Every structure is written in C-alpha cells, then in structure tokens.
Amino acid sequence: MKKGNQYGKNQWKVTLLNLGVRLGILAILSGGVWKAWPYAAPRVSAWLEEKKNKDDGETEEETFPEGGRLSVAMMETREETEFPRKAHTYKFVPSDGTWNDAAKAAREDGGYLADITSAEEQQEIEMLMEGYDGYSVIWLGANRLAGDFAWMSGEPWDYTNWAEGEPNNETGSESYLMMYRSDGKWGWNDAEVSVSEYYQGHMGYIIEYGD
C-alpha cells in the first residue's frame, strides 16, 4: 500500500509538471503573437481585401460578361426566338411576256410575283429598279378576276400606290396589276394581260422570295 501511494504521488507530480510546461509554452506563444500583431495586421487586412475583390470580380465576370451586357444579349436572343423576322428578297426579271407568263415563271423560280403591302416595300422595289433605267413597266402579283384587286399571295389588300386617275379599267378588261414609271415616279395601274405588246424591251416582273 505504501508503494502504491508513493507511485500515485509521483504521477500527480508528473501531471502537474506537464501542465505547467504547456501553460508556459502557451503563454510565450500568446505573448509573441500579441507583440507581432501590430506588424502583421496590415498584411492580413490587405490579403483579405485582395481576396474579397478577386472573388467579387470573378462573380461579376461570370454574371455579366463583356462589361455587364449579359441581360441585353439574352433579351436580344429571346426577341429573335419569340419574334422571328420575315426576310423577303426581290429580283427583277426583264421579260416581254404576259402577266400569266410572269406568274408561272416566278413560281418555277421558287417565289411568286411580288406583292407590295407597305410604303417601305414600295420604296425597296423602287430602289431595286434604280439599276434598270431602261425598264418602265413591271408586273406585280395581283389581279381582280374575282371582283376586286387582291394579292395572289394572300396578303391583305391594305396598301396601294395608284397613279393619278387609276385604276380606271379603261378598256373594260384591265384586270391585272402593273407598276410603271413616268417622269421618274412609280405608280400602279390596272392593265390588260396583253399590255406587254406595247412595251417590248422595256418591261419585266418582280419575283419575291420569302414566307
């Protein structure tokens, strides 16, 4: 029993000694950190600020590429997807044929005789014809065989550009739509299917391609 008691006392001494050593080391380290902090604090603060700016920059770049224009690009893409624009192109073909000949040739070429449903389209075709000074008569894609003039493409008959005094159905059989140039100005006219006989070498038709 005495031996055991002596061992227990020694063990407590060792434990207390170890604890004292550890507390002493901790005190030394704490004191060192406390003394070094005034010198280390600015560097730690600068490092934290740099890391924050870097993280913010990466987030902004991912969310707003090219200077924050992601939302604009997405809106443009969405508009093109939801509201597709119809692309129409036009081609002038010199021809002395009748309106029926022109309509058939346009279909065989993958299009149809042009319809003009707005002032913008009228202007576009006039600009096309600026390259054909010698041509003054053009077949367009409408007739009134069913009573009133209508576009054969099915487009609504909302816009017109009749020349002065037209349509007049002067001969009683002027059932086809043509456009002619007089004094540098284009206007519409109702005409007979055989009017091409009077304009040999100076007429043709417009093919329109699109939906």
Side-chain angles (χ1 to χ4, degrees), residues 7 16 18 27 33 43 46 53 60 77 97 100 111 115-117 154-155 159 165 167 189 205:
Y7 175 79
L16 291 175
N18 289 338
V33 171
R43 296 186 179 183
N53 292 337
E60 182 177 356
T77 301
N100 292 323
D115 53 41
I116 301 178
T117 59
E155 290 285 347
Y159 170 82
N189 183 26
Y205 58 91

Short mmCIF file of all heavy atoms in Angstrom, two decimals, residues 7 16 18 27 33 43 46 53 60 77 97 100 111 115-117 154-155 159 165 167 189 205:
data_model
loop_
_atom_site.label_atom_id
_atom_site.label_comp_id
_atom_site.label_asym_id
_atom_site.label_seq_id
_atom_site.Cartn_x
_atom_site.Cartn_y
_atom_site.Cartn_z
N TYR A 7 3.64 5.88 -5.66
CA TYR A 7 3.52 5.94 -7.13
C TYR A 7 2.47 6.97 -7.54
O TYR A 7 2.66 7.75 -8.47
CB TYR A 7 3.15 4.56 -7.66
CG TYR A 7 2.89 4.56 -9.15
CD1 TYR A 7 3.96 4.55 -10.04
CD2 TYR A 7 1.59 4.59 -9.63
CE1 TYR A 7 3.72 4.57 -11.40
CE2 TYR A 7 1.35 4.62 -10.99
CZ TYR A 7 2.42 4.60 -11.88
OH TYR A 7 2.17 4.61 -13.24
N LEU A 16 1.21 17.48 -13.07
CA LEU A 16 1.25 18.91 -12.80
C LEU A 16 2.39 19.58 -13.53
O LEU A 16 2.27 20.72 -14.02
CB LEU A 16 1.34 19.15 -11.29
CG LEU A 16 0.10 18.78 -10.48
CD1 LEU A 16 0.38 18.94 -8.98
CD2 LEU A 16 -1.07 19.68 -10.87
N ASN A 18 3.79 18.59 -16.38
CA ASN A 18 3.45 18.68 -17.81
C ASN A 18 2.47 19.83 -18.09
O ASN A 18 2.59 20.57 -19.06
CB ASN A 18 2.85 17.37 -18.29
CG ASN A 18 3.90 16.25 -18.37
OD1 ASN A 18 5.09 16.54 -18.47
ND2 ASN A 18 3.44 15.01 -18.31
N ALA A 27 1.67 30.60 -22.93
CA ALA A 27 1.84 31.99 -22.54
C ALA A 27 2.89 32.68 -23.39
O ALA A 27 2.74 33.83 -23.81
CB ALA A 27 2.23 32.06 -21.04
N VAL A 33 2.55 36.43 -30.24
CA VAL A 33 1.53 36.84 -31.20
C VAL A 33 1.05 38.25 -30.89
O VAL A 33 0.85 39.08 -31.78
CB VAL A 33 0.36 35.84 -31.20
CG1 VAL A 33 -0.81 36.38 -32.03
CG2 VAL A 33 0.81 34.49 -31.73
N ARG A 43 -0.81 43.47 -43.13
CA ARG A 43 -0.66 42.47 -44.19
C ARG A 43 -1.88 41.54 -44.25
O ARG A 43 -2.35 41.20 -45.33
CB ARG A 43 0.61 41.65 -43.96
CG ARG A 43 1.87 42.48 -44.06
CD ARG A 43 3.12 41.61 -43.97
NE ARG A 43 4.33 42.41 -44.09
CZ ARG A 43 5.57 41.88 -44.10
NH1 ARG A 43 5.71 40.56 -43.99
NH2 ARG A 43 6.61 42.67 -44.21
N ALA A 46 -4.74 43.50 -45.83
CA ALA A 46 -4.55 43.66 -47.28
C ALA A 46 -4.85 42.37 -48.00
O ALA A 46 -5.47 42.35 -49.08
CB ALA A 46 -3.11 44.12 -47.56
N ASN A 53 -11.90 41.30 -53.29
CA ASN A 53 -12.02 41.92 -54.62
C ASN A 53 -11.93 40.89 -55.74
O ASN A 53 -12.65 40.98 -56.74
CB ASN A 53 -10.93 42.98 -54.80
CG ASN A 53 -11.12 44.17 -53.88
OD1 ASN A 53 -12.24 44.42 -53.43
ND2 ASN A 53 -10.05 44.89 -53.59
N GLU A 60 -18.74 38.87 -60.89
CA GLU A 60 -19.29 39.83 -61.85
C GLU A 60 -19.01 39.39 -63.27
O GLU A 60 -19.84 39.52 -64.15
CB GLU A 60 -18.67 41.20 -61.58
CG GLU A 60 -19.20 42.28 -62.50
CD GLU A 60 -18.63 43.64 -62.17
OE1 GLU A 60 -17.88 43.74 -61.18
OE2 GLU A 60 -18.94 44.58 -62.91
N THR A 77 -31.48 37.76 -77.85
CA THR A 77 -31.66 36.38 -78.30
C THR A 77 -33.11 35.96 -78.12
O THR A 77 -33.69 35.30 -78.98
CB THR A 77 -30.75 35.44 -77.49
OG1 THR A 77 -29.39 35.86 -77.68
CG2 THR A 77 -30.92 34.00 -77.95
N GLY A 97 -43.22 39.00 -121.62
CA GLY A 97 -44.36 38.09 -121.54
C GLY A 97 -45.57 38.71 -120.88
O GLY A 97 -45.54 39.83 -120.37
N ASN A 100 -49.65 36.28 -116.97
CA ASN A 100 -49.69 34.84 -116.70
C ASN A 100 -48.32 34.20 -116.88
O ASN A 100 -47.92 33.33 -116.10
CB ASN A 100 -50.71 34.16 -117.62
CG ASN A 100 -52.14 34.56 -117.28
OD1 ASN A 100 -52.49 34.73 -116.12
ND2 ASN A 100 -52.98 34.72 -118.31
N GLY A 111 -40.43 31.42 -106.15
CA GLY A 111 -41.01 32.59 -105.50
C GLY A 111 -42.41 32.85 -106.01
O GLY A 111 -43.14 31.92 -106.36
N ASP A 115 -45.79 41.13 -104.10
CA ASP A 115 -46.87 41.96 -103.56
C ASP A 115 -46.22 43.10 -102.79
O ASP A 115 -45.12 42.98 -102.26
CB ASP A 115 -47.82 41.16 -102.67
CG ASP A 115 -47.09 40.40 -101.57
OD1 ASP A 115 -46.15 40.96 -100.98
OD2 ASP A 115 -47.45 39.25 -101.31
N ILE A 116 -46.89 44.24 -102.76
CA ILE A 116 -46.38 45.42 -102.06
C ILE A 116 -47.43 45.82 -101.03
O ILE A 116 -48.51 46.32 -101.39
CB ILE A 116 -46.11 46.57 -103.03
CG1 ILE A 116 -45.09 46.14 -104.09
CG2 ILE A 116 -45.59 47.79 -102.27
CD1 ILE A 116 -44.80 47.21 -105.13
N THR A 117 -47.13 45.62 -99.78
CA THR A 117 -48.13 45.85 -98.72
C THR A 117 -47.79 47.01 -97.81
O THR A 117 -48.44 47.21 -96.79
CB THR A 117 -48.28 44.57 -97.88
OG1 THR A 117 -47.00 44.23 -97.31
CG2 THR A 117 -48.76 43.41 -98.73
N GLY A 154 -52.05 36.05 -100.95
CA GLY A 154 -52.93 36.01 -99.79
C GLY A 154 -52.72 37.15 -98.81
O GLY A 154 -53.45 37.25 -97.81
N GLU A 155 -51.74 38.02 -99.07
CA GLU A 155 -51.53 39.18 -98.19
C GLU A 155 -52.74 40.11 -98.25
O GLU A 155 -53.41 40.22 -99.29
CB GLU A 155 -50.27 39.94 -98.62
CG GLU A 155 -48.96 39.20 -98.36
CD GLU A 155 -48.58 39.22 -96.90
OE1 GLU A 155 -49.19 40.01 -96.12
OE2 GLU A 155 -47.69 38.45 -96.51
N TYR A 159 -52.59 48.36 -98.54
CA TYR A 159 -51.78 49.47 -99.04
C TYR A 159 -51.89 49.54 -100.56
O TYR A 159 -51.91 48.52 -101.24
CB TYR A 159 -50.31 49.27 -98.65
CG TYR A 159 -49.36 50.23 -99.33
CD1 TYR A 159 -49.18 51.53 -98.84
CD2 TYR A 159 -48.65 49.85 -100.47
CE1 TYR A 159 -48.33 52.42 -99.46
CE2 TYR A 159 -47.79 50.73 -101.10
CZ TYR A 159 -47.62 52.02 -100.60
OH TYR A 159 -46.78 52.89 -101.23
N GLY A 165 -55.55 58.97 -111.28
CA GLY A 165 -56.62 58.53 -112.18
C GLY A 165 -56.77 57.03 -112.31
O GLY A 165 -57.63 56.55 -113.07
N PRO A 167 -57.17 53.05 -110.41
CA PRO A 167 -57.46 52.23 -111.61
C PRO A 167 -58.73 52.74 -112.32
O PRO A 167 -59.67 53.16 -111.65
CB PRO A 167 -57.67 50.84 -111.02
CG PRO A 167 -58.24 51.11 -109.65
CD PRO A 167 -57.60 52.38 -109.16
N ASN A 189 -51.02 50.70 -111.88
CA ASN A 189 -52.02 50.86 -112.95
C ASN A 189 -52.68 49.51 -113.21
O ASN A 189 -52.04 48.47 -113.09
CB ASN A 189 -51.34 51.37 -114.23
CG ASN A 189 -52.32 51.63 -115.35
OD1 ASN A 189 -53.50 51.89 -115.11
ND2 ASN A 189 -51.85 51.56 -116.58
N TYR A 205 -40.84 41.71 -114.68
CA TYR A 205 -41.61 41.41 -113.47
C TYR A 205 -40.68 41.26 -112.29
O TYR A 205 -39.47 41.03 -112.44
CB TYR A 205 -42.47 40.16 -113.67
CG TYR A 205 -41.68 38.91 -114.05
CD1 TYR A 205 -41.20 38.03 -113.09
CD2 TYR A 205 -41.44 38.62 -115.40
CE1 TYR A 205 -40.49 36.90 -113.44
CE2 TYR A 205 -40.72 37.48 -115.76
CZ TYR A 205 -40.25 36.62 -114.78
OH TYR A 205 -39.54 35.49 -115.14
#
